[in-house]
């Protein structure tokens, strides 16, 4: 219905929240309880798969996890829409294509059976033994045939499950799950001819496998509208650079674009993306970046409150997080560059926010609990809020926010969510 409304001329879209972070999900769902419409939450193939992914959850466990958070937030389960992002062989791309695709089929099947109703089919990545060099893209025919293969598995799983069949998103032209590895000030917009070839080639691959009915439920194509972020910079959307690409999709009934990596775009740019038919806006690291920002602000408040009070143990949260990242560097080491000082700064403050992988660490969790307990023991001085969390200070002064630790964190996260809501409903 949303896609149809957009295609009828309304500048409406939907935000895709790409995160598994409990506090972020709780804040977003709490904020959505007082408005109508669905909330779309997506998991990537690396976060959630049949082997657990980096969250330790398979699709069924992720659904149960999300439903428990929704129940706690007072958000109706019926308004949850679950999406699977970049579902394909990416987690196993270092294996031969035959085994990587077999695992991808199992993953797609598990997602559909678990109740995910929006499936992004992405088989664009090379597997071990694929012809050609690692620097050249796979032939379009191979990519689309593999995507159709996965769609066939999804359709069979949906038929066996019963109920409403899934909708599909195709295409890629974005970084692999986990984000860009190199910062960029500008990003090349997908060529119109390349986007057209993706649509036509995928449609033919679906037809070859007898998936015409499934093609009717392809709602979006992933392209690159010219948005991206690095460690310290953001490539902002330039509507004129994407004007021809925007017009192309108008010739395909029922299709819109899905824009990945829209994090940190100004609200005006997000609105312009929706007007340009990039009606599905995905946001991920900016949500946990906001969480980290609020937590660091709270720790600075804690330091001031505990100064001279040796009897009360401080949380030392930032130092604990740093220790966890140094002890297990696999999530950031290939992404953060420069000397030791530059890497230390990136671990704390990078836009790509690879600290998000470490909030589940047992010692980090213990430090977070200590921080919140220390701050809950007395009212927080407004003067310290003004110094370290000025946006929450303004809301508290206006009576719109109770200055308790978790409410402050929730507010900081929901400011991001509400920016996207306004962009998608203008």
């Amino acid at each position: 219905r949303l896609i149809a409304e957009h295609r009828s001329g309304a500048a409406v879209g939907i935000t895709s929240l790409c995160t598994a972070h409990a506090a972020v999900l709780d804040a977003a769902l709490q904020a959505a309880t007082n408005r109508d419409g669905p909330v779309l939450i997506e998991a990537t193939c690396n976060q959630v798969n049949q082997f657990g992914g980096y969250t330790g959850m398979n699709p069924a466990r992720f659904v149960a996890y999300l439903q428990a958070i929704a129940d706690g937030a007072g958000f109706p389960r019926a308004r949850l829409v679950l999406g699977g992002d970049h579902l394909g062989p990416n987690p196993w791309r270092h294996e031969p294509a035959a085994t990587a695709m077999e695992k991808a089929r199992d993953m797609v099947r598990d997602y559909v059976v678990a109740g995910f109703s929006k499936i992004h089919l992405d088989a664009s990545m090379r597997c071990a033994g694929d012809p050609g060099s690692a620097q050249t893209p796979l032939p379009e025919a191979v990519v689309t045939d593999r995507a159709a293969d996965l769609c066939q598995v999804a359709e069979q799983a949906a038929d066996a499950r019963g109920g409403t069949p899934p909708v599909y998103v195709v295409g890629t032209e974005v970084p692999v799950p986990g984000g860009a590895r190199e910062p960029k000030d500008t990003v090349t917009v997908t060529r119109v001819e390349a986007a057209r070839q993706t649509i036509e080639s995928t449609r033919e691959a679906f037809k070859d496998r007898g998936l015409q009915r499934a093609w009717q439920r392809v709602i979006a194509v992933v392209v690159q509208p010219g948005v991206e972020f690095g460690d310290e910079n953001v490539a902002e959307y330039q509507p004129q650079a994407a004007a021809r690409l925007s017009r192309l999709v108008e010739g395909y009934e029922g299709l819109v674009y899905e824009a990945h990596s829209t994090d940190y775009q100004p609200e005006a740019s997000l609105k312009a993306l929706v007007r340009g038919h990039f009606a599905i806006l995905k946001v991920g690291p900016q949500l946990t970046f906001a969480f980290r920002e609020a937590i660091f602000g709270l720790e600075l408040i804690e330091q001031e409150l505990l100064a001279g009070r040796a009897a009360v143990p401080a949380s030392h949260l930032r130092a604990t997080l740093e220790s966890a990242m140094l002890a297990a560097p696999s999530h950031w080491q290939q992404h953060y560059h420069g000397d030791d000082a530059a890497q230390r700064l990136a671990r704390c403050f990078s836009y790509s926010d690879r600290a998000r992988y470490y909030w589940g660490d047992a010692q980090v969790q213990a430090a977070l609990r200590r921080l919140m307990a220390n701050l809950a023991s007395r009212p927080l001085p407004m003067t310290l809020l003004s110094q370290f969390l000025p946006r929450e200070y303004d809301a508290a002064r206006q009576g719109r926010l109770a200055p308790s630790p978790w409410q402050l964190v929730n507010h900081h996260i929901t400011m991001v969510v509400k920016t996207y809501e306004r962009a998608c409903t203008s």
Side-chain angles (χ1 to χ4, degrees):
R1 288 195 298 269
L2 177 74
I3 302 304
E5 187 179 353
H6 179 93
R7 289 304 304 252
S8 70
V12 296
I14 190 168
T15 307
S16 169
L17 304 174
C18 303
T19 182
H21 193 287
V24 170
L25 292 169
D26 179 64
L29 292 175
Q30 283 189 46
T33 55
N34 295 322
R35 65 173 177 82
D36 295 329
V39 171
L40 171 59
I41 296 170
E42 303 214 29
T44 70
C45 58
N46 288 339
Q47 282 177 323
V48 174
N49 58 50
Q50 66 270 40
F51 303 109
Y54 68 74
T55 64
M57 289 183 280
N58 63 24
R61 285 189 61 195
F62 182 80
V63 172
Y65 164 78
L66 184 56
Q67 288 175 340
I69 295 173
D71 293 346
F75 185 83
R77 292 184 181 187
R79 287 171 52 198
L80 285 175
V81 177
L82 279 69
D85 195 26
H86 292 287
L87 299 192
N90 184 68
W92 310 286
R93 63 189 182 278
H94 301 300
E95 301 180 20
T99 58
M101 281 297 294
E102 189 58 39
K103 290 175 180 177
R105 293 184 194 102
D106 291 341
M107 177 176 62
V108 168
R109 185 180 298 109
D110 287 356
Y111 266 80
V112 173
V113 170
F116 286 76
S117 57
K118 176 180 176 290
I119 303 295
H120 174 206
L121 303 167
D122 182 8
S124 61
M125 59 290 302
R126 287 186 167 278
C127 298
D130 278 333
S133 70
Q135 288 71 41
T136 58
L138 277 176
E140 188 79 28
V142 174
V143 173
T144 55
D145 180 66
R146 289 177 181 176
D149 179 343
L150 297 174
C151 180
Q152 194 162 42
V153 171
E155 289 291 283
Q156 292 166 353
D159 287 344
R161 182 198 66 195
T164 305
V167 298
Y168 297 104
V169 176
V170 299
T172 182
E173 289 244 7
V174 293
V176 297
R181 284 175 166 77
E182 299 293 340
K184 297 179 181 179
D185 293 314
T186 59
V187 178
T188 302
V189 175
T190 298
R191 294 182 301 108
V192 169
E193 295 74 14
R196 182 183 290 111
Q197 182 183 11
T198 293
I199 296 170
E200 297 294 347
S201 180
T202 308
R203 180 161 59 183
E204 285 302 308
F206 275 44
K207 181 180 177 182
D208 290 345
R209 290 179 179 265
L211 296 170
Q212 290 91 333
R213 287 192 305 166
W215 179 257
Q216 298 304 311
R217 283 180 271 110
V218 174
I219 60 167
V221 183
V222 178
V223 291
Q224 175 52 269
V227 299
E228 190 52 82
F229 54 91
D231 289 343
E232 299 177 345
N233 59 325
V234 178
E236 292 187 13
Y237 179 56
Q238 304 296 325
Q240 286 304 113
R244 289 186 63 230
L245 184 62
S246 293
R247 289 193 294 271
L248 171 70
V249 81
E250 295 173 357
Y252 291 94
E253 184 178 358
L255 283 183
V256 296
Y257 290 129
E258 178 170 284
H260 292 216
S261 301
T262 68
D263 308 63
Y264 311 106
Q265 294 290 315
E267 186 172 333
S269 294
L270 295 175
K271 289 181 178 180
L273 279 162
V274 173
R275 288 194 300 270
H277 304 311
F278 300 94
I280 303 174
L281 301 179
K282 300 180 83 72
V283 57
Q286 188 179 2
L287 298 168
T288 47
F289 182 94
F291 172 83
R292 192 270 316 151
E293 237 179 9
I295 293 299
F296 279 15
L298 288 176
E299 188 183 11
L300 291 171
I301 293 173
E302 179 201 37
Q303 290 172 5
E304 296 299 326
L305 291 177
L306 296 187
R309 300 176 63 193
V312 181
S315 67
H316 302 295
L317 184 138
R318 181 171 167 183
T320 305
L321 180 63
E322 172 75 351
S323 294
M325 295 183 75
L326 290 173
S330 61
H331 291 300
W332 60 266
Q333 203 166 42
Q334 300 304 312
H335 298 262
Y336 295 158
H337 308 291
D339 59 18
D340 289 346
Q343 291 184 27
R344 182 199 62 80
L345 196 67
R347 284 193 297 273
C348 289
F349 301 111
S350 167
Y351 278 138
S352 63
D353 188 48
R354 304 197 73 80
R356 69 187 186 272
Y357 295 97
Y358 297 87
W359 289 109
D361 176 87
Q363 291 183 319
V364 174
Q365 283 287 302
L368 180 58
R369 288 193 295 271
R370 168 59 61 184
L371 172 66
M372 292 309 195
N374 286 345
L375 295 177
S377 63
R378 55 162 291 179
L380 300 182
M382 295 295 286
T383 53
L384 292 181
L385 281 185
S386 178
Q387 179 67 40
F388 298 116
L389 290 171
R391 286 179 285 188
E392 282 63 48
Y393 168 80
D394 289 340
R397 281 293 302 271
Q398 295 167 20
R400 295 186 289 108
L401 176 64
S404 62
W406 277 116
Q407 287 301 310
L408 296 170
V409 174
N410 284 359
H411 181 269
H412 209 71
I413 296 166
T414 56
M415 284 195 302
V416 177
V417 176
K418 288 180 178 180
T419 297
Y420 275 82
E421 287 178 5
R422 291 191 297 270
C424 289
T425 56
S426 60

